Structures are given as C-alpha cells and as structure tokens.
Amino acid sequence: MCESMTLFFNAQSHHFEPNLRKPFLCSVKRTHFSQLCQPSTENLPPDHGLILVGGSKLSGHVNISGSKNSALAILAGTLCCSKTSKLHNIPDISDTREMFSILQSLGVRVEASNGEVTVDTDGIRSVEPCPESVRQTRGGFFVVGPLLARFGEAVVALPGGCDIGTRPIDLYIRGLQALGAVVELRDGKVCAFAVNGKRLVGGKFHLDYPSVGATETLMMAASMADGVTTLCNVAQEPEVVDLAWFLNKSGACVEGEGSDTLVIKGRNQLHGPEFTIIPDRIEADKLSAAGCKIIETTQNTLEISALPGDIARDIRGVHVKTGPFPQFPTDLQPQIMALLMTRNGSSIVEESVFDKRMGHVRELQKLGGRIQVCGNTAFIKGQDHGSALYGTTVCATNLRGGAALILAGMAAEGITKIDGVAHIDRGYQNLDMKLCSLGANIRRLISLPVCQA
Ligand code: UD1
C-alpha cells in the first residue's frame, strides 16, 4: 500500500517539506463530500460551440452582469458570517455555480434565483469542501481563510482555474502562518489549523506581490482573528475593495481598502448582511473593445451602449503592459490583442502578471492575425477592420482567450466556429445573447452528451 506523504510549508525556503507531525483531526464533524457533490455523470456540461458571422454593426443597450471575481470572493466571505447573507447581482455563470457547490459541500444552504442569492451558514458541518469543485475554480481556494478564521481549521484542495501559468499559493500560506496558523500539504490538500487550537491571532504580513486571491483570503482570515492585522503591499483591485465593503457591512473592521495597506481589527463574530455585487469591469471593457461605449454607471449598475461610430477607432499602434491594479488588467490582455489586430499600425502587448498567458495567440493567428510572440511579449501588425481577418474554426482554451476569439470572429470576414465555449461560460453570463441583442450574428450549437449503453 502506498502511504501518503505529509508535507510542511517552510516559510524560509518557500517549499513544502516532509513533516513527521501527527495529522490533526478536524474538530468540526466532517461530512463525506461524495454525499454532497452533484452526481458527476448526469450533470456533465454539454459541449457547446459558437458560430459567428462577422461584420455586423452593433447598436443598442445592454446591462453588465455582476463581477465574477467579486462574487467568488464574497461568496467565500459569507463563510465568515453567521445567519443569512443576501447577495444581489451574482452572475449566473458556471464559476459561481461551482462556488455554490463548494459552499453546499460544507453544509451551507444556498438558494439562487435571477442573480439573488441567499447563503445560510448556520448548518456548516465540515471544514473540508468538495475537492473536485475546488479544483474547478481558483476562487474555490479562498474558503481556506474564512474556514480557518471561524472554525480554527480548514482542509482545502489545491486550487484550479484557467491554465495561464504557474499559480503558486505561497503568499496565502505565509500570510496565514503570520496569523498563527500551521499549514501542511497532505494528498494534494492544504490542511491548516490555528496553532493555539482556537483562533487566528492578528499579525503583520508583507505580500511580496500584490496577489488578488492572497489579499482577499488574508483579509477574510484577519477579520475574525484576535487583535489587529496589518497587510502591506496588498492588491488594490475594485473586487478586493468590494470584498472589504461586504465584510464591513457584516460587522468587520477593514480599513485602507483600495490602498496598498490594510489594517484589520478582528471581530469575534460577523453577521450575514444584504449586499450588492459591483458590475463586471472586464465584461464592460470587452464590450468597449467591440465598439460599445459605457454610458451610465452607478455603484451598482452599469449600462453599455453601442453607438454609431467606433469609440475604439483611435486605439492603434500602442504599447500595452499588464500589471496589478491600477495598471492594465491581465484579464483584458487577450481582448486588447484582438482589437489591435483590427487597427492599422504596429502594437506591442506585454504580459507581466502570468507567465503562460499567450495561448490565445495561436488561435488568433488562425483567424489571420499577424502576431509574433517572443516570451511574454506579442508584436502585432494590425490592419483595419474587415481587411485582414477571415473566419475559420478555433478553440477557446481559457476564459479570457475565448472572449478574444469572439471579438476577432465578429471582426472577421465570413464564418467563425469557436469550440471550447465552456471556458467562456465560466465567466460571462449570456455573452452571446447580449451581443446578439446588439446586432451581432452569433448562434450557439449544443451537442448533448452521447448516451452510454
Ligand atoms: C485573480 C483573478 C484573475 C485575475 C488575477 C490578476 C479571481 C478569482 N481571479 O486571480 O481573474 O487574472 O487575479 O488580476 O479573482 N502569486 C504568487 N504567489 C501566490 C499567489 C499569486 O506568486 O501565493 C502570483 C501568481 O503566480 C501571478 C500573480 O501573483 O503571477 C497574480 O496572481 P493573483 O493576483 O494571485 O491572481 P488570482 O488571485 O489567482
């Protein structure tokens, strides 16, 4: 029989090392997750494809859905809150549905209808979410912070998400250690517990890089730790700010959101609030790249209008480099590349956040895009709309790369078929329907799974 190896995270070397410590037992009774996860064979997602006929002019208005990244972090944040959280504007996408499964696998009651989601955590009976679900979405791993803070322990599978490069979790682990957690890796799962056997303890931690997920996880953990926590060099993305607002509405005391330092006074208990998720800036920017203009924005609603004339027409021959907020968002990098292919001039797009986020280039080249890649830099020779791109069959291999293929397909002459649409559905609610309502010519092909005898 093969014995499982227990590894211990060494904060000095930043590596997991063998550990002879006796495995701890979760004090919260564990429920076997196979009882709680959706049956896997019956709910296989059908293999969708999109057929686009290029060249349509867009006009009209659409509403922007709630932010995916904000919703995922706040759904994790509901685990800090006793009683019921009422969330508005949660996008209906496969990533949020996966997050519901993660919460349900802990014993949380989730009711969702038309973007309104009620989360009741009083029935939590496990600190180990379904690992298959956690491996589906990066946001699933964020639950390690709230579980540890509220129950003193957590067992969470290593995270999944888009394949866009190495996505380590060293900052999460070192940050949790700074708050008094012991962290081990066992059988592909992170096992963490409060070293005093009860609660995390406030501390000071400097993030080497302003990681969005690590900032959010540590913010949730610190909200329920004993004493004051200072987190330096944190992420400043609007979604991080939205999570801080949610936590503060639950009774937490998070100060400095939107700056590079957070000061968090821990509270014994947080209570589920009513909260509205911000609109998705990446979806809004994607539609801007398709020639639409943002005409109305309030804290909670964002409307996009496609007007005659192309607002993106002046973007040509530019040098774009991605970086942490407020720099250019990495999640918009594939889409800006698709836009620049249709603009006269030479442009450069540099990716500095993830080390493998150029996978969409090969597919854009199939559509006629003149792009050369050298490491993490793409050199684009653009030609004006309609003259250079032609439809063919391409495949989405990740969420944002898939969105770029839709943009390029709409600009191409002829018919484009996009496979791998499940990647796009992870993060955009009804994107094809929204574009069709603006005049795009897009059809969805649904091939149902073949029945096995
Ligand atoms: C989040 C977003 C994702 C977005 C990204 C950057 C969610 C669910 N996803 O992902 O859409 O593209 O922010 O804006 O909110 N890193 C480390 N060690 C760590 C953690 C991260 O080195 O412990 C590095 C990563 O390898 C990467 C960089 O930090 O190079 C940025 O990653 P991070 O900000 O953590 O992205 P995510 O939170 O995974």
Side-chain angles (χ1 to χ4, degrees), residues 31-104:
T31 306
H32 198 275
F33 46 76
S34 61
Q35 296 162 349
L36 295 157
C37 294
Q38 299 293 321
S40 54
T41 44
E42 279 175 35
N43 294 313
L44 273 180
D47 183 18
H48 291 200
L50 293 178
I51 300 281
L52 289 84
V53 183
S56 306
K57 291 269 175 256
L58 304 187
S59 68
H61 305 273
V62 284
N63 285 323
I64 297 300
S65 304
S67 157
K68 168 184 85 81
N69 289 348
S70 186
L72 293 176
I74 287 171
L75 283 166
T78 61
L79 290 174
C80 291
C81 307
S82 55
K83 305 227 178 310
T84 306
S85 302
K86 282 190 183 147
L87 305 176
H88 305 287
N89 210 23
I90 295 279
D92 183 13
I93 50 180
S94 57
D95 262 15
T96 50
R97 288 194 289 268
E98 204 65 69
M99 199 68 185
F100 299 160
S101 298
I102 289 169
L103 298 180
Q104 284 164 338

Side-chain angles (χ1 to χ4, degrees), residues 80-399:
C80 291
C81 307
S82 55
K83 305 227 178 310
T84 306
S85 302
K86 282 190 183 147
L87 305 176
H88 305 287
N89 210 23
I90 295 279
D92 183 13
I93 50 180
S94 57
D95 262 15
T96 50
R97 288 194 289 268
E98 204 65 69
M99 199 68 185
F100 299 160
S101 298
I102 289 169
L103 298 180
Q104 284 164 338
S105 72
L106 297 166
V108 172
R109 214 158 50 82
V110 180
E111 279 169 25
S113 163
N114 291 328
E116 312 292 307
V117 177
T118 307
V119 182
D120 179 352
T121 65
D122 282 355
I124 290 185
R125 54 185 181 275
S126 167
V127 291
E128 180 173 351
C130 169
E132 283 78 19
S133 293
V134 173
R135 288 188 196 111
Q136 297 301 315
T137 168
R138 183 78 177 172
F141 188 70
F142 301 169
V143 300
V144 72
L147 285 175
L148 191 50
R150 188 164 163 195
F151 301 106
E153 51 188 335
V155 180
V156 185
L158 291 170
C162 279
D163 181 18
I164 49 180
T166 25
R167 298 181 84 173
I169 52 163
D170 57 307
L171 296 171
Y172 296 68
I173 290 168
R174 282 162 48 216
L176 292 173
Q177 286 175 331
L179 298 182
V182 172
V183 185
E184 299 169 357
L185 184 69
R186 257 189 266 145
D187 299 333
K189 293 176 192 165
V190 170
C191 306
F193 61 99
V195 73
N196 62 16
K198 292 183 202 144
R199 297 173 67 82
L200 295 176
V201 182
K204 192 163 181 181
F205 183 66
H206 178 97
L207 285 85
D208 300 340
Y209 185 93
S211 152
V212 171
T215 301
E216 292 173 338
T217 301
L218 297 176
M219 190 200 300
M220 292 186 272
S223 291
M224 296 192 79
D226 275 339
V228 180
T229 297
T230 305
L231 301 175
C232 303
N233 196 32
V234 294
Q236 301 170 40
E237 269 71 358
E239 296 76 21
V240 176
V241 174
D242 209 28
L243 175 65
W245 288 343
F246 167 81
L247 290 170
N248 284 343
K249 215 168 171 205
S250 313
C253 183
V254 179
E255 287 171 7
E257 69 274 20
S259 77
D260 66 356
T261 304
L262 292 173
V263 178
I264 302 160
K265 294 190 191 97
R267 298 280 188 246
N268 278 340
Q269 211 178 11
L270 304 183
H271 297 281
E274 185 161 357
F275 191 80
T276 303
I277 308 293
I278 52 168
D280 197 310
R281 66 192 166 107
I282 303 297
E283 183 189 345
D285 288 344
K286 181 203 149 63
L287 288 166
S288 299
C292 301
K293 184 178 179 186
I294 300 168
I295 57 161
E296 190 185 305
T297 163
T298 67
Q299 187 190 321
N300 296 331
T301 64
L302 190 58
E303 191 181 318
I304 283 281
S305 179
L307 299 168
D310 182 351
I311 62 133
R313 66 177 174 266
D314 296 331
I315 300 177
R316 58 184 71 234
V318 292
H319 185 158
V320 175
K321 184 176 178 185
T322 65
F325 191 87
Q327 296 173 55
F328 192 88
T330 174
D331 282 351
L332 208 55
Q333 179 259 101
Q335 295 94 310
I336 192 78
M337 205 182 278
L339 174 68
L340 291 170
M341 292 189 326
T342 66
R343 293 292 176 274
N344 272 338
S346 299
S347 296
I348 298 175
V349 174
E350 240 183 294
E351 173 60 48
S352 87
V353 179
F354 291 107
D355 56 13
K356 232 177 78 190
R357 202 169 206 174
M358 288 287 168
H360 46 282
V361 169
R362 207 165 54 103
E363 303 303 303
L364 291 174
Q365 285 166 336
K366 286 184 195 164
L367 290 165
R370 296 195 297 163
I371 311 173
Q372 296 287 323
V373 176
C374 182
N376 275 330
T377 305
F379 300 88
I380 302 146
K381 283 216 178 305
Q383 270 178 261
D384 270 352
H385 178 84
S387 59
L389 304 183
Y390 41 82
T392 185
T393 298
V394 286
C395 187
T397 55
N398 64 63
L399 168 58

